[in-house]
Amino acid sequence: MAESRSGMMMDQEYVFLRAEDRSELERLRLIERTLDPASRRRLLATGLQVGWRCLEIGPGAGSILAWMGEVVGPSGAVCAIDVSTKFLSVQRPPHIDIRQEDFRTVDLAPSSFDLVHSRYVLIHMSDYQSVLSKMLACLKPGGWLVLEEPDFSASRGIEGDTVQLEAVNKVNRAIKTMYDKLGMDYALGLKLPALLQQQRVYGLAVENDVPLSAGGSGMATIMKMSAVQLRDKYLATGVVTEQNLDQYRCFTDNPQAWAIYYGTVAASGQKP
């Protein structure tokens, strides 16, 4: 599984909701170390600068939130919204505002932000289209929306022990089954460009990052940690067994084993 502390869907359970705090924080920090460089590059490509007002939805452990706060400086502002903020530092400069609320119901002034960003948030929502509309409503005309969402349909084992490769394929099918049961789209990333076109976003830029990763890499370790935390949910799909999960974890640790664990589609553009 991918990132997200989004926790914004109260009507469907966020898949990591009951993950033990220490292991979940470790997972989130590894995700930040692995994904932040690309996210920062995409955000800087918007022209992000001193004085901007930014909104971060589902801030995770807070690394992008803190970084944006440094970029915009005291003359700017960064607001972060999440239903759970327990992994965010209580010590922060006054121009960073953290609100523990559901984004879908929070009261935000329309056309008030220069930039809205979320990473691995919409995939956890069945009503992502209405959430997207609210994101755009928060933006000033000409403001930037930067979205990053996973595509698990890209997942597949490439090289490794035959038995372990079969376990990888079964876990991938279990992930799809889990999302299907929740009424969510495990390949949502692929829809981002069309969704933004439908909203008449202009200057659309799209990236599709599908890394081929060795066991022991950041991506492989993220997925191993997810498999540990989501063990019961994977087993409940009926697609995998305990033995399959053990084999999967061995695969993700093996530097000679290669896989595409998932792709990340990033789409950004400006509000009309």
Side-chain angles (χ1 to χ4, degrees):
M1 291 297 301
E3 185 184 15
S4 193
R5 280 294 313 158
S6 79
M8 285 183 280
M9 50 300 172
M10 304 303 287
D11 51 351
Q12 297 106 3
E13 182 179 294
Y14 172 48
V15 293
F16 288 99
L17 189 61
R18 296 192 176 93
E20 191 271 323
D21 284 355
R22 182 176 298 176
S23 60
E24 174 63 351
L25 179 58
E26 182 182 354
R27 187 185 71 91
L28 291 171
R29 286 178 171 166
L30 178 57
I31 288 168
E32 291 177 339
R33 292 194 298 271
T34 304
L35 301 180
D36 277 9
S39 293
R40 292 182 182 187
R41 174 178 54 77
R42 291 163 185 149
L43 290 166
L44 287 173
T46 68
L48 176 65
Q49 60 187 280
V50 171
W52 276 28
R53 289 178 50 81
C54 304
L55 175 62
E56 175 77 359
I57 303 170
S63 60
I64 291 294
L65 166 66
W67 172 79
M68 284 199 296
E70 293 174 359
V71 174
V72 303
S75 63
V78 182
C79 176
I81 297 176
D82 204 322
V83 297
S84 176
T85 59
K86 61 185 174 183
F87 295 125
L88 301 177
S89 172
V90 296
Q91 296 181 335
R92 53 186 179 272
H95 68 289
I96 293 182
D97 177 30
I98 297 175
R99 302 175 64 174
Q100 185 166 311
E101 298 188 61
D102 186 329
F103 175 71
R104 295 175 303 181
T105 57
V106 68
D107 185 18
L108 293 171
S111 303
S112 56
F113 293 100
D114 299 290
L115 170 67
V116 174
H117 172 250
S118 72
R119 184 172 68 192
Y120 297 175
V121 168
L122 295 178
I123 191 173
H124 295 288
M125 300 180 175
S126 59
D127 57 346
Y128 58 82
Q129 296 204 44
S130 62
V131 175
L132 176 58
S133 295
K134 184 166 184 177
M135 289 179 178
L136 285 164
C138 296
L139 278 172
K140 301 174 182 177
W144 284 89
L145 179 62
V146 180
L147 302 177
E148 300 171 291
E149 293 293 338
D151 165 29
F152 284 104
S153 69
S155 306
R156 62 186 185 276
I158 305 296
E159 183 65 38
D161 175 83
T162 302
V163 174
Q164 292 177 2
L165 280 170
E166 179 57 27
V168 170
N169 292 332
K170 286 184 177 180
V171 170
N172 292 339
R173 292 198 297 273
I175 291 171
K176 182 179 188 307
T177 301
M178 179 183 68
Y179 273 112
D180 286 346
K181 288 183 176 180
L182 291 169
M184 300 169 190
D185 187 346
Y186 91 136
L188 180 62
L190 294 177
K191 294 182 178 178
L192 287 184
L195 288 170
L196 294 190
Q197 281 183 328
Q198 291 163 14
Q199 295 283 352
R200 302 188 182 281
V201 167
Y202 68 94
L204 183 63
V206 177
E207 295 182 24
N208 189 10
D209 184 11
V210 188
L212 179 58
S213 304
S217 65
M219 190 68 72
T221 305
I222 289 167
M223 293 302 290
K224 180 181 76 170
M225 295 172 74
S226 295
V228 171
Q229 293 183 19
L230 299 178
R231 167 188 169 276
D232 291 343
K233 290 182 171 66
Y234 288 176
L235 291 173
T237 66
V239 177
V240 294
T241 65
E242 287 275 15
Q243 185 178 23
N244 295 148
L245 293 176
D246 288 340
Q247 294 162 343
Y248 181 83
R249 289 190 290 268
C250 289
F251 183 92
T252 60
D253 281 334
N254 183 0
Q256 305 302 316
W258 290 84
I260 295 172
Y261 289 97
Y262 62 88
T264 297
V265 179
S268 59
Q270 293 177 272
K271 178 180 176 177

